[in-house]
Amino acid sequence: MSNKTSNSSIPSSESPSFNRPSWLISLNLWWAGFNLRSKLLAIATLGVSFIMTLITFFALNGIQRDAGLNDTRYARDLGLLLSGNVTELVAKKQDRELFNVAEKFWRSSRNLRYIFFTDPEGIINLGIPVSATPSDVDSNLQLTRKLQIPAELQKRPQFPLVRQHTTPQGQVTDVFVPMIWKGEYLGTLALGVTPNKKALESAALTREVTVAVFISIWVLVIIGAVFNALTITRPIRALVKGVRDIANGNFKSRMSIPMSGDLGELLKGFNAMASQLEDYDNANIEELRAAQVKQQSLIATMADGAILLDEEGKIVLVNQTARRLFRWEGRDLEGQELLNLLPEIIANDLHAPIASLLGNLEDSDDLRCSLDEPPRTFRIVLQSVRDSSGETLKGIAVTIQDLTREVELNAAQRRFISNVSHELRTPLFNIKSYVETLHDLGDQLSDEEQKEFLGIANSETDRLTRLVNDVLDLSKLESSNTVQFESIDISPAIEQTVRNYKLNADDKNVKIVVDISESMPLVRGNWDLLLQVLDNLVGNSLKFSSDGGIISLKAYPWPDTCINSVNTKTSAPHCQLISPLPSLRIEIADTGCGISGVDQERIFERFFRVENAVHTEAGTGLGLSIVRGIIEKLGGKISMASESGIGTTFWFELPLKESDKEELFLKSARKSRDWDMKLNPEITETT
């Protein structure tokens, strides 16, 4: 039994404290006594210390590396300088002058350890301090010792070589400079340069200062952490507790910790804030705040700009619309003079009305202002804000309405009405003139003159009919939001258009060429609208084509290639998958007079006519505007390219019928795959 008792007193190997030293257990207990804030502060201090150590280490390494680089650059520059002065002397074999230059160079620099001149085989011809005086040049300068040239210099004799080695007297930088004269390698100049003592002392001083600075920073960090833990944490904890009480609705919370300096001011400010909040709470501040938020929300969501001024004309409130209109986003405008922030033109217009309202001369004013760059038009309404008695001025409410779009629409409407009136008046005046002449002087005119007058009246009637029809078509396009789409074969539409203009083309000796394949994919469009587009574009091309001209009509899929996956094993043509799928492009090109660059910018405007410049037959000026409207209704976009004296090309794309899109895509994909299989037999049919 005694054995069992003694065995039970032995600690189990599964116990957490088994074989753990007592100092580690004490350390764990000591660490567990700190709160989370203290632990984080200690970890942060250790982290800063580690970072400071790393910075010091890298800084010292950088200083040491820079010192070595400076020695290397100094030695290389010294070698190049001496080589540039003596290479010509070596080439001309002026040994005495060579010795004099080398000796002066030796005596002028305290950092030179040796100077050797060798021939191309490495035999030393001159060495300093081996030779002592100039009188011994002829006999003593010719040494028989051979200098071991580094292999790197032998591989690249045109570049100097710098290396360093350590001697009992210190580090020496060896410089080997090849002497080349007019492309001939004369030998090698070898220099031994010792480090500059002042530079070494400066580098050592820099290292010591760097170490001292980083140690000081580290000590300051530790002191700051300790100071923070001892003096700042306690009042901040109390302040956090007070803020939580305020957040929970306890406005009676106060700070009674005696503190001075910034923390003392912070605690006093907290107590003052708590007192004010308590007063506001007693005065039912929540209702006032709700009303204020409601008012601000209403002003902020207004479609018009709103600005509220105080009794001195300074800004109190600006909503987002007003900020956007005057480009005030992100600016603090409260308390600033409104007239100083507005554009000069608007400020000048508002100066007198605002002065009248601030002087109680008027209660409201309404004016319109305009800007030139960019063109903008504003309506600004000023209304004074008074107290309940209506006698004391509290401020001015300014409302800004952006009328730019409305003004532009009104101007466009006036231009359209003016253009239509002008275009209608001309043919009506001509018809009235000739019909009136026939009515009054019919018996005095010959049959030929009567036919001529009737022909002119008939031509003007046709012109008037075309104008009315174009205006109706344009109005129908703008008012109608739906188009009846159907699957259309473009070939019959092109053939019908060509037949319509064949006689006119033959009369003008103009050739119409059609280039379309036999099986074109079906497009998604409207037959009547498409015929109107083709009729207008071909008619324009024929109108501006001269004798012997050519009009070309083309239709083809666009893009006309399927882009497949990239094949990196061969140089076969390849491309990537395209999106969206192809459409059908239609081109109408002519060899007419062309359109100038200035006219191209306005070619699709209403009532703009190029014939005003080229003096051909008149038109309504609405054709291309109608064409663009139709193409956009059909889901496409029309483009053009023209050169004066060469010709003009119009083109547009129409979306394909869905089944034709897939079929065209698969055909192009097979074509691309066949190319890859021809150039790379490893690609199988399955691939």
Side-chain angles (χ1 to χ4, degrees):
M1 176 160 318
S2 60
N3 291 337
K4 291 181 180 180
T5 304
S6 61
N7 290 337
S8 62
S9 63
I10 299 176
S12 173
S13 60
E14 295 179 359
S15 176
S17 60
F18 180 69
N19 289 335
R20 294 179 64 183
S22 59
W23 65 268
L24 183 58
I25 297 175
S26 301
L27 181 62
N28 289 337
L29 294 175
W30 174 77
W31 178 254
F34 292 93
N35 57 18
L36 180 60
R37 186 190 304 273
S38 300
K39 292 179 180 180
L40 292 177
L41 182 61
I43 293 174
T45 303
L46 292 177
V48 171
S49 302
F50 178 74
I51 293 173
M52 289 297 175
T53 303
L54 290 180
I55 293 175
T56 305
F57 174 79
F58 286 115
L60 293 177
N61 283 346
I63 294 172
Q64 189 68 27
R65 184 172 60 255
D66 291 340
L69 290 176
N70 290 335
D71 290 340
T72 301
R73 294 192 188 101
Y74 172 76
R76 183 192 61 190
D77 296 340
L78 205 61
L80 292 174
L81 177 62
L82 180 57
S83 174
N85 288 302
V86 303
T87 300
E88 182 177 1
L89 300 178
V90 174
K92 296 180 180 180
K93 298 182 179 181
Q94 298 177 0
D95 296 339
R96 184 172 297 278
E97 288 78 4
L98 176 63
F99 177 84
N100 292 335
V101 173
E103 184 181 30
K104 291 180 180 179
F105 202 86
W106 164 268
R107 296 183 183 278
S108 63
S109 177
R110 297 181 180 180
N111 298 328
L112 280 177
R113 185 73 174 270
Y114 62 85
I115 301 176
F116 290 149
F117 294 89
T118 70
D119 59 9
E121 288 74 24
I123 303 300
I124 298 177
N125 295 331
L126 175 63
I128 296 179
V130 176
S131 300
T133 61
S135 60
D136 300 329
V137 170
D138 296 335
S139 59
N140 295 334
L141 291 182
Q142 303 299 328
L143 303 178
T144 58
R145 297 182 62 183
K146 185 175 182 180
L147 183 64
Q148 185 67 33
I149 304 298
E152 294 86 350
L153 188 63
Q154 294 177 358
K155 294 179 182 179
R156 299 187 304 170
Q158 67 274 21
F159 299 102
L161 176 66
V162 181
R163 65 183 186 182
Q164 294 179 337
H165 72 278
T166 304
T167 65
Q169 290 77 23
Q171 189 177 27
V172 178
T173 302
D174 302 312
V175 183
F176 300 91
V177 182
M179 295 183 294
I180 300 175
W181 178 258
K182 296 182 179 180
E184 180 183 0
Y185 176 61
L186 303 178
T188 303
L189 167 63
L191 295 180
V193 183
T194 58
N196 191 331
K197 293 183 179 180
K198 293 184 178 180
L200 292 177
E201 294 173 357
S202 176
L205 179 60
T206 303
R207 287 194 297 271
E208 294 173 359
V209 171
T210 302
V211 172
V213 168
F214 281 109
I215 290 176
S216 301
I217 294 175
W218 182 80
V219 171
L220 290 176
V221 169
I222 300 298
I223 294 175
V226 175
F227 179 81
N228 175 72
L230 296 178
T231 61
I232 301 178
T233 304
R234 178 171 171 265
I236 287 181
R237 289 178 181 176
L239 185 60
V240 169
K241 182 179 181 301
V243 171
R244 289 175 179 173
D245 293 338
I246 294 295
N248 294 328
N250 181 18
F251 300 119
K252 299 183 180 296
S253 178
R254 300 292 187 272
M255 297 289 105
S256 59
I257 301 176
M259 291 290 297
S260 60
D262 294 336
L263 279 176
E265 293 294 330
L266 182 61
L267 296 178
K268 291 180 181 179
F270 175 83
N271 292 333
M273 178 190 69
S275 299
Q276 292 180 2
L277 289 176
E278 188 176 5
D279 296 337
Y280 290 155
D281 183 68
N282 297 331
N284 200 4
I285 192 62
E286 294 299 328
E287 293 184 3
L288 297 177
R289 286 183 175 178
Q292 183 180 8
V293 170
K294 183 178 180 180
Q295 183 182 11
Q296 291 180 351
S297 300
L298 181 62
I299 295 175
T301 55
M302 288 177 57
D304 297 332
I307 303 175
L308 182 61
L309 307 180
D310 60 11
E311 63 276 6
E312 297 179 357
K314 296 182 179 180
I315 295 177
V316 176
L317 179 66
V318 181
N319 71 346
Q320 293 299 323
T321 304
R323 290 178 179 271
R324 176 180 54 82
L325 291 176
F326 297 114
R327 299 179 181 178
W328 291 340
E329 295 89 342
R331 298 177 59 181
D332 185 11
L333 305 175
E334 186 175 353
Q336 300 190 40
E337 292 283 349
L338 175 63
L339 297 178
N340 295 336
L341 300 174
L342 293 172
E344 184 178 357
I345 297 177
I346 298 180
N348 293 335
D349 293 340
L350 288 179
H351 184 271
I354 290 179
S356 298
L357 266 68
L358 292 177
N360 291 322
L361 301 178
E362 295 180 0
D363 286 337
S364 63
D365 203 342
D366 189 339
L367 66 156
R368 179 173 295 194
C369 304
S370 299
L371 293 177
D372 295 333
E373 292 296 334
R376 305 291 295 274
T377 301
F378 300 112
R379 180 194 177 198
I380 301 178
V381 179
L382 305 176
Q383 179 64 49
S384 60
V385 179
R386 301 183 180 275
D387 59 2
S388 58
S389 63
E391 297 179 357
T392 305
L393 180 68
K394 293 296 184 179
I396 300 175
V398 184
T399 305
I400 304 101
Q401 296 179 349
D402 189 357
L403 304 180
T404 304
R405 180 61 178 168
E406 180 181 348
V407 171
E408 291 177 351
L409 291 176
N410 292 336
Q413 183 180 9
R414 288 195 297 270
R415 288 195 301 269
F416 182 78
I417 295 174
S418 175
N419 290 332
V420 171
S421 301
H422 176 75
E423 295 296 334
L424 289 174
R425 183 175 58 185
T426 302
L428 287 175
F429 176 78
N430 292 337
I431 293 172
K432 177 176 176 56
S433 298
Y434 285 101
V435 171
E436 186 177 2
T437 302
L438 288 173
H439 180 269
D440 296 339
L441 304 175
D443 54 349
Q444 301 179 13
L445 299 175
S446 62
D447 294 341
E448 293 181 357
E449 290 176 337
Q450 292 179 4
K451 289 182 179 180
E452 180 182 357
F453 284 12
L454 289 174
I456 294 175
N458 183 59
S459 177
E460 292 297 327
T461 304
D462 293 339
R463 177 183 174 187
L464 184 62
T465 302
R466 289 196 304 270
L467 177 60
V468 173
N469 290 334
D470 287 344
V471 172
L472 291 176
D473 291 340
L474 190 60
S475 176
K476 186 186 300 182
L477 282 174
E478 293 179 348
S479 60
S480 177
N481 295 324
T482 59
V483 176
Q484 296 296 329
F485 287 97
E486 56 184 335
S487 299
I488 298 176
D489 185 359
I490 197 65
S491 300
I494 294 178
E495 292 174 358
Q496 180 175 337
T497 303
V498 172
R499 284 196 302 270
N500 293 340
Y501 284 97
K502 189 176 187 310
L503 294 177
N504 293 336
D506 293 340
D507 292 340
K508 295 188 66 173
N509 193 22
V510 174
K511 184 178 181 181
I512 300 179
V513 179
V514 179
D515 182 11
I516 58 176
S517 61
E518 296 180 356
S519 57
M520 294 296 295
L522 299 180
V523 297
R524 182 173 175 269
N526 183 280
W527 176 264
D528 295 332
L529 295 179
L530 185 58
L531 282 181
Q532 188 175 358
V533 170
L534 295 174
D535 183 81
N536 199 304
L537 293 177
V538 174
N540 280 347
S541 297
L542 183 61
K543 182 192 302 184
F544 295 103
S545 295
S546 56
D547 187 10
I550 298 175
I551 299 176
S552 174
L553 283 81
K554 295 182 180 180
Y556 52 88
W558 179 265
D560 57 355
T561 58
C562 167
I563 302 179
N564 218 343
S565 59
V566 177
N567 181 13
T568 58
K569 295 183 178 180
T570 67
S571 58
H574 58 265
C575 38
Q576 296 177 351
L577 185 64
I578 60 173
S579 178
L581 293 173
S583 58
L584 188 69
R585 171 174 286 189
I586 302 172
E587 291 184 5
I588 298 93
D590 62 69
T591 58
C593 59
I595 304 173
S596 65
V598 177
D599 291 339
Q600 290 182 34
E601 298 178 358
R602 303 181 56 196
I603 194 66
F604 293 105
E605 292 183 7
R606 300 174 182 177
F607 297 104
F608 179 77
R609 295 195 298 248
V610 178
E611 56 262 23
N612 292 341
V614 299
H615 304 290
T616 63
E617 57 183 286
T620 63
L622 294 174
L624 289 178
S625 180
I626 295 174
V627 167
R628 182 175 65 177
I630 293 175
I631 296 299
E632 291 176 353
K633 286 282 186 180
L634 297 179
K637 179 181 179 182
I638 188 169
S639 305
M640 67 160 298
S642 182
E643 187 72 26
S644 297
I646 296 178
T648 304
T649 300
F650 287 88
W651 69 88
F652 58 91
E653 291 90 20
L654 295 176
L656 298 182
K657 182 183 175 184
E658 293 299 328
S659 59
D660 288 349
K661 283 185 180 181
E662 299 174 0
E663 182 180 357
L664 183 61
F665 174 76
L666 292 175
K667 286 182 179 179
S668 301
R670 294 190 192 101
K671 182 179 179 181
S672 177
R673 185 197 58 189
D674 293 341
W675 268 102
D676 288 344
M677 292 178 63
K678 287 180 180 180
L679 298 179
N680 186 8
E682 297 180 0
I683 300 178
T684 63
E685 182 69 24
T686 303
T687 306

